[in-house]
Amino acid sequence: MPVDELDTRILRLLLEQPRTSVREYARILGVARGTLQARLDRLERDGVITGTAPALSPAALGHPVLAFVHIEVTQGHLDEVGDLLAAVPEIVEAFSITGGGDLLARVVARDNGHLEDVVQKLISMPGVVRTRTEVALRERVSHRMLPLVESIGRPARG
């Protein structure tokens, strides 16, 4: 089910004021608390809202180095390698991809030496053929959802 204008307003509030109560959201939006709760439940059930955990900074946790590691995998071993990646705490995300490589992992590290250790661990995994690492220098656009939510809430142009 697509999100409607009220859903868009709810999502915007959740993004802009994540620590506000459901009762306060309902007051701000001018809807009944039950209506708001039903909408939130549906948005969660439909997978639009995927979590409510706080956003954490790897840098503040002592891991300021960010790298993207392309991983080429032996044919037929994608699932096994994916399971092995999940056991590496420095891998904060991993995706199956098209193009150069089979997997793309977002890796955080304490320093460049630690990053090298993590990459060496990846290279030694059964099923990994080779890796290519790109180190991020500076974040230019931080993870965000509000512009997307706002674009969905706008009427389509003719």
Side-chain angles (χ1 to χ4, degrees):
M1 178 178 184
V3 296
D4 63 14
E5 190 268 335
L6 178 56
D7 293 334
T8 300
R9 291 174 49 215
I10 291 168
L11 294 171
R12 183 176 305 138
L13 265 180
L14 289 173
L15 292 168
E16 291 176 340
Q17 301 175 35
R19 297 175 64 106
T20 302
S21 69
V22 171
R23 178 176 288 157
E24 182 63 12
Y25 288 143
R27 186 194 67 72
I28 292 168
L29 294 168
V31 298
R33 185 184 179 285
T35 299
L36 177 63
Q37 190 61 60
R39 291 292 185 115
L40 289 171
D41 292 344
R42 181 182 52 78
L43 290 167
E44 287 180 14
R45 190 174 52 251
D46 291 350
V48 175
I49 298 173
T50 58
T52 58
L56 303 178
S57 165
L61 291 170
H63 289 68
V65 176
L66 170 62
F68 298 93
V69 180
H70 297 259
I71 304 166
E72 188 177 322
V73 176
T74 305
Q75 273 191 323
H77 290 86
L78 196 58
D79 290 339
E80 293 90 345
V81 173
D83 291 342
L84 292 170
L85 295 180
V88 179
E90 294 87 356
I91 295 179
V92 294
E93 289 182 300
F95 303 91
S96 299
I97 60 169
T98 63
D102 301 299
L103 295 164
L104 177 66
R106 190 172 122 187
V107 178
V108 295
R110 293 184 301 273
D111 54 37
N112 287 345
H114 181 217
L115 175 60
E116 182 182 11
D117 294 342
V118 173
V119 171
Q120 289 301 318
K121 184 186 299 186
L122 299 179
I123 291 170
S124 70
M125 288 179 175
V128 172
V129 175
R130 72 178 49 90
T131 65
R132 187 182 88 238
T133 302
E134 299 168 352
V135 175
L137 300 176
R138 179 178 297 156
E139 183 176 69
R140 298 295 179 165
V141 177
S142 62
H143 179 78
R144 63 195 184 143
M145 294 303 296
L146 188 56
L148 177 63
V149 167
E150 289 174 341
S151 74
I152 292 169
R154 286 188 210 119
R157 295 181 193 154

